[in-house]
Amino acid sequence: MFKGAAYIVVGNLVSKLAGFGREVAFAGWFGTGPIAAGFRIAQTAYLLPAQALVGDSLGAGLLPLYREMLARDKDAARMLVLIAAGYAALLSALLSIGLFVFADDIVRFLVPGAGPKVWGIATELLVILSFATPAFLIGGMLSYLETSYGKFGAIAWRPLLLNIGSLAGAALAYWTGSYHWLATAILASHLIFVTWTVLEVRRLGGLRPQRRLARDEVVAIGGRFIRNALSLLSLPLIVQSTLVVERIISSHLGTSVIASVDYARFLADTTVQLIAMPLGVMTMASHGGQRSAAIDSHVAQVAVVAMVLATPVAALMLAYPEQVTRAIFARGAFDEHSVQVTAALVRYMGGAVFVSVTGYYLIKALNAQLRNREALIVMAAASLSSIAVNTLLWRVLGVATMGVAVASYSLVSFAGAVWRLGLWRELRLPIGALAACLLLNLAVAGLVRQLHGSLAQLVVGIVATALICGAVTLGVPRLRVTFWGPMIHNVQQRLARRRA
């Protein structure tokens, strides 16, 4: 299990380095101006339904059920894949047509305050991206399926391929002066990836059943898949409505805010994808469809590891948001105004990764146990809290509203998942200790910010954060045993072998 998780982590790390380069280059070339805003709007309109369906409905609906069927009847499992692929193809075709035909209306609905120039750019890019929806949906579904064979190449390297495509598109758009390359390169990346995943799944186990299944068998298999995924089909309307509201509000606060939200979200989401995603996928692949005390213990231990890994990142972005933003993005077209707007969002979005990372993992743990309805309820409550913050407080909090809303979503999803999994008793001590770590680091940051120079403040802040978080994890027995224990045990074993 942990070998597979490590493989995904390496793939995510390499892809995130490419993504980091893409975001830094994009910020320098386009800043937070109309092209940057138009591209982010088109991405949102294209990804909202597709991302929800791949990440939750198809992934959670297919993977545990496929693993269960594969152990009993390979032909039934293959038929399940064909049914799921047919569902994805039909759904993606409908989405593509809708995005293509109603591109202008969708853009104006998402960002009513953006203005004609941004609307025009976003509409043209969305028309191009609409053709990528089938490849996005089917490729994403098959990459999850590959993990059932103990292979993690597609899910590990998919982000790298897409990031390279995005970076190439941004470079071509900047050098040629044609922003259409931003969408065209993404379309090409998805076509390459879906071709790879189809060939890989065919090589591993094939897509066609070896025997002819009776009609009743096919209907029963399709019914199980639909019932398993059905509880999550409302996610595009419930969870992704959070991002719709976010875009609408950000457009009223200014064009620069639209792009700044995505720069800040990139920093927060990177932490989630590097830590929580591989852990969640591995739990779904190795414990899919199972429920027992041993699995509950496993989930609790992995959740503690996720919290420990996320805490230093959260502490740094909570205490030093302007310094982090300036060091990463402040060059070229990314001016002082862009720095201040993005930093206001980084403080809350980044500071919340302490709970967003663990909450993401625990939601996947619910999916792995086929408790999709409970996961839906938790995510719906989190979405409602975010929508409430955005709609009720944006006139009061201004730019920071979107950051506070993301933090609200993360906190509610984390608390709800802990409650439904019954893990409060096991996690309350680690939660308290790591929350104290965040507060202590925030207090120390008040002294560090007295230093002259943003870079000096950031360097000293990183050292202080590492020392504080390291001291807390070593000083609290539960954290020391869960996080450091396995590493210490491995070192002791290696030393013993050398002595022998």
Side-chain angles (χ1 to χ4, degrees), residues 104 106 113 140 236 245:
D104 183 62
I106 292 170
V245 172

Side-chain angles (χ1 to χ4, degrees), residues 467-482:
L467 292 174
I468 292 170
C469 294
V472 171
T473 55
L474 286 171
V476 178
R478 172 68 190 281
L479 298 178
R480 183 173 64 249
V481 171
T482 303

Side-chain angles (χ1 to χ4, degrees), residues 174-355:
Y174 178 71
W175 290 331
T176 65
S178 174
Y179 54 78
H180 298 96
W181 281 110
L182 293 170
T184 304
I186 292 177
L187 171 60
S189 300
H190 282 302
L191 293 176
I192 293 171
F193 179 76
V194 73
T195 303
W196 173 28
T197 54
V198 169
L199 294 175
E200 182 66 7
V201 171
R202 286 187 64 187
R203 184 185 68 83
L204 290 172
L207 293 174
R208 302 177 68 177
Q210 298 299 309
R211 65 179 176 87
R212 184 179 180 87
L213 277 71
R215 182 177 179 180
D216 291 345
E217 288 183 90
V218 176
V219 171
I221 293 169
R224 286 200 64 187
F225 171 72
I226 293 298
R227 287 193 299 272
N228 202 35
L230 191 59
S231 63
L232 292 172
L233 290 180
S234 54
L235 280 174
L237 298 177
I238 298 176
V239 177
Q240 299 304 314
S241 61
T242 304
L243 295 179
V244 173
V245 172
E246 181 182 276
R247 286 301 191 209
I248 292 172
I249 298 299
S250 64
S251 73
H252 289 298
L253 291 170
T255 300
S256 62
V257 178
I258 298 172
S260 292
V261 168
D262 280 10
Y263 290 125
R265 192 182 292 280
F266 170 78
L267 298 180
D269 287 352
T270 295
T271 310
V272 175
Q273 292 172 7
L274 286 177
I275 300 173
M277 195 190 87
L279 296 176
V281 169
M282 291 308 305
T283 295
M284 291 181 69
S286 61
H287 295 87
Q290 304 174 19
R291 295 180 68 172
S292 68
I295 295 173
D296 291 341
S297 176
H298 162 83
V299 170
Q301 289 182 341
V302 175
V304 172
V305 172
M307 280 191 288
V308 171
L309 291 173
T311 297
V313 181
L316 191 67
M317 289 196 277
L318 179 64
Y320 308 97
E322 182 179 331
Q323 292 83 353
V324 170
T325 303
R326 195 177 297 280
I328 295 175
F329 296 120
R331 55 189 55 83
F334 202 91
D335 54 19
E336 183 63 26
H337 174 70
S338 301
V339 169
Q340 296 303 320
V341 173
T342 305
L345 297 165
V346 167
R347 178 185 299 277
Y348 299 100
M349 289 187 185
V353 299
F354 166 66
V355 289

Side-chain angles (χ1 to χ4, degrees), residues 152-173:
F152 305 92
I155 203 166
W157 300 110
R158 180 192 193 201
L160 175 61
L161 176 61
L162 299 183
N163 279 327
I164 291 175
S166 296
L167 179 59
L172 287 169

Side-chain angles (χ1 to χ4, degrees), residues 34 37-39 41-43 103 107 111 117-127 179:
F39 176 62
I41 295 162
Q43 271 193 315
V107 166
V111 284
K117 184 175 183 179
V118 174
W119 290 337
I121 294 171
T123 299
E124 292 177 32
L125 295 177
L126 179 56
V127 167
Y179 54 78

Side-chain angles (χ1 to χ4, degrees), residues 13 47 50 62 64-65 87 112 129 131 145 148 155 179 204 206 283 306 320 345 373 390 416 495 498:
L13 182 59
L47 287 174
L62 175 63
L65 189 57
Y87 164 80
L129 288 174
F131 292 101
L145 182 63
S148 294
I155 203 166
Y179 54 78
L204 290 172
T283 295
Y320 308 97
L345 297 165
R373 188 178 298 276
N390 271 320
L495 291 176
R498 288 183 179 180

